[in-house]
Amino acid sequence: MSVTGLLADIQQIGRDATSGGYCRPVFSTAEMDLRAWFLGEADRRGLDVEIDRNGIIWAWWGAPGPGSVVTGSHLDSVPGGGAFDGPLGVAAALAAVDVLRADGFTPQRSLAVAVFPEEEGSRFGIACLGSRLMTGKLSADKARSLTDASGTTLAEVFAAGGVDPRHLGRDEDALARVGHYVELHIEQGRGLIDLGRPIAVGSTILGHGRWRATVRGQGNHAGTTLMADRRDPLVAAAQMVGAVSSLARETDDARATVGRFEPVPGGTNVIASEVRFWIDARHPDDAVTLALVERFRSAFEAIASAHGCTVEVREESWSAGVDFDPGLAARLSAALDDAPLLYTGAGHDAGILAEFVPSGMLFTRNPTGISHSPEEYAEDADADHSAFALAQALRGLLS
Ligand code: GLV
Ligand code: MN
Ligand code: MN
């Protein structure tokens, strides 16, 4: 089946009818429906499916074993995300199996299509959670105790999703089987539009991290508390958000975002007692990112003190910059008509795996250049072409 046909089958799952955006948090009903869809598609192709101790789904063409080639992506989304971030790579992987088989290709090693849980970190705060667990970059104890916005622990959510949380953690066997990992993904910027090309090969992922700021003040009455008497953490936090933007703008090539902001308790006639907000910061040079976060911290302390508040800033996750295996990137590019190399500012499971096994990425043109938004897009022809490009890239690694 074509990539567009596969994506059409899941286009209503987790979609908000008003905004058109997708909410598919890991192990929500929507993501469980997508996992079930994937299992059905794997079964239809006669692939052998296993769900490992970290909740990663593997669908095998051939026997699992060392030196296998793995492709795939994720099915969870950010809140209000697009249709392609994750599912395009999964659908292209399934369709690439169809392309290789239709060509009568006989692989010399096994191929697996993998689906990684919680790539976005939108439910538990840590991006690429499945691949971090598998590689041991995230400890099982830390993962189990993470909570979502409703206070439910990851251990509870994984158990409800059928993954026993007692067995989470570094999975030597799973890792040892991966000879190469290649992830196809929608491009999340304008690189391919500017180049006028349909497919690129990933060169680098910018280092990036997430920090949680908690600003504390005095909760109080909106009508009886004079302006001079307030210790309002929301006013302080609003100025801090402004400081994030202006300090990042002063730093060449930095990107810093506050996309989540929560006043507590959050009442129209209540001065908040606490505000939590999250900072995502990225730069091509990891030292610059970390120095920028220190500048945020100093600015926040000055702002908090001017408002009679306190502030605490805690790192939630950090991913150092990744250079993909240059030999593999060159091979992928050569297999794809000298596809251009592109860096990306977005994180991916391929970036986590790259530290352990030769890994690479392919990017499919996105004519809007927009991602993490309903406007993220791929033309049908480009989406379908993704399967042929991925099949071509895999063919060399499987021969
Ligand atoms: C994942 O999409 C990220 O880069 O945040
Ligand atoms: Mn993604
Ligand atoms: Mn994403």
Side-chain angles (χ1 to χ4, degrees):
M1 192 191 266
S2 66
V3 175
T4 42
L6 286 160
L7 292 175
D9 286 346
I10 55 172
Q11 68 185 354
Q12 294 309 328
I13 299 178
R15 182 172 184 270
D16 181 275
T18 310
S19 69
Y22 290 88
C23 282
R24 297 163 162 173
V26 67
F27 290 131
S28 62
T29 305
E31 205 236 9
M32 289 298 275
D33 287 351
L34 293 172
R35 287 167 74 89
W37 161 81
F38 178 77
L39 296 179
E41 289 299 329
D43 188 53
R44 192 202 300 267
R45 289 167 176 76
L47 305 176
D48 292 324
V49 168
E50 64 175 298
I51 300 179
D52 73 14
R53 45 194 280 205
N54 293 306
I56 302 165
I57 310 178
W58 305 81
W60 288 93
W61 179 11
S68 300
V69 177
V70 181
T71 184
S73 193
H74 61 98
L75 294 171
D76 63 302
S77 79
V78 294
F84 300 90
D85 179 353
L88 178 65
V90 175
L94 291 166
V97 170
D98 299 344
V99 169
L100 291 171
R101 285 176 169 171
D103 287 352
F105 176 73
T106 307
Q108 299 304 302
R109 44 188 63 80
S110 299
L111 173 70
V113 180
V115 175
F116 290 90
E118 182 70 330
E119 190 274 345
E120 298 288 5
S122 48
R123 184 156 187 183
F124 291 103
I126 297 187
C128 302
L129 186 128
S131 54
R132 281 181 203 268
L133 276 169
M134 174 173 114
T135 54
K137 284 185 78 75
L138 172 65
S139 84
D141 281 343
K142 179 163 181 199
R144 279 188 283 263
S145 64
L146 294 169
T147 51
D148 68 10
S150 71
T152 312
T153 64
L154 180 142
E156 291 165 325
V157 168
F158 271 52
V163 180
D164 187 337
R166 290 173 303 175
H167 302 139
L168 296 178
R170 184 172 161 96
D171 190 338
E172 298 289 350
D173 295 341
L175 199 50
R177 295 182 316 204
V178 187
H180 289 94
Y181 179 64
V182 179
E183 177 169 355
L184 181 138
H185 204 278
I186 187 75
E187 204 215 330
Q188 297 175 283
R190 305 187 44 84
L192 284 167
I193 306 174
D194 295 343
L195 290 165
R197 297 285 296 260
I199 290 276
V201 173
S203 56
T204 299
I205 296 183
L206 297 194
H208 53 283
R210 297 178 182 190
W211 290 262
R212 177 206 293 234
T214 307
V215 191
R216 297 188 178 88
Q218 176 62 61
N220 215 329
H221 193 289
T224 60
T225 315
L226 298 182
M227 298 312 282
D229 293 340
R230 296 177 182 220
R231 294 197 290 121
D232 186 338
L234 201 143
V235 177
Q239 288 181 8
M240 292 175 197
V241 174
V244 167
S245 176
S246 46
L247 291 170
R249 281 168 194 271
E250 283 168 15
T251 309
D252 222 22
D253 224 5
R255 302 107 208 254
T257 307
V258 176
R260 188 174 161 201
F261 188 95
E262 295 176 356
V264 179
T268 306
N269 56 348
V270 180
I271 298 168
S273 55
E274 181 174 310
V275 174
R276 299 170 202 144
F277 66 93
W278 282 258
I279 305 144
D280 177 309
R282 314 186 189 210
H283 188 276
D285 180 338
D286 291 347
V288 174
T289 310
L290 297 173
L292 181 61
V293 173
E294 285 316 304
R295 291 183 71 201
F296 293 160
R297 212 186 280 274
S298 310
F300 291 178
E301 274 159 14
I303 293 167
S305 130
H307 288 272
C309 296
T310 61
V311 62
E312 183 192 352
V313 180
R314 256 197 296 153
E315 179 188 301
E316 287 208 327
S317 69
W318 168 249
S319 306
V322 170
D323 290 322
F324 286 118
D325 185 288
L328 177 58
R331 240 173 119 179
L332 297 173
S333 166
L336 298 171
D337 207 11
D338 288 328
L341 295 186
L342 271 189
Y343 85 97
T344 176
H348 301 283
D349 292 301
I352 302 295
L353 292 177
E355 198 182 306
F356 302 86
V357 293
S359 299
M361 291 195 74
L362 302 183
F363 297 122
T364 296
R365 175 165 53 196
N366 170 358
T368 66
I370 293 173
S371 185
H372 285 184
S373 156
E375 279 85 48
E376 176 187 280
Y377 192 60
E379 298 287 356
D380 287 357
D382 284 348
D384 286 331
H385 176 63
S386 299
F388 291 96
L390 182 59
Q392 187 58 20
L394 296 174
R395 195 187 303 264
L397 300 174
L398 290 164
S399 297

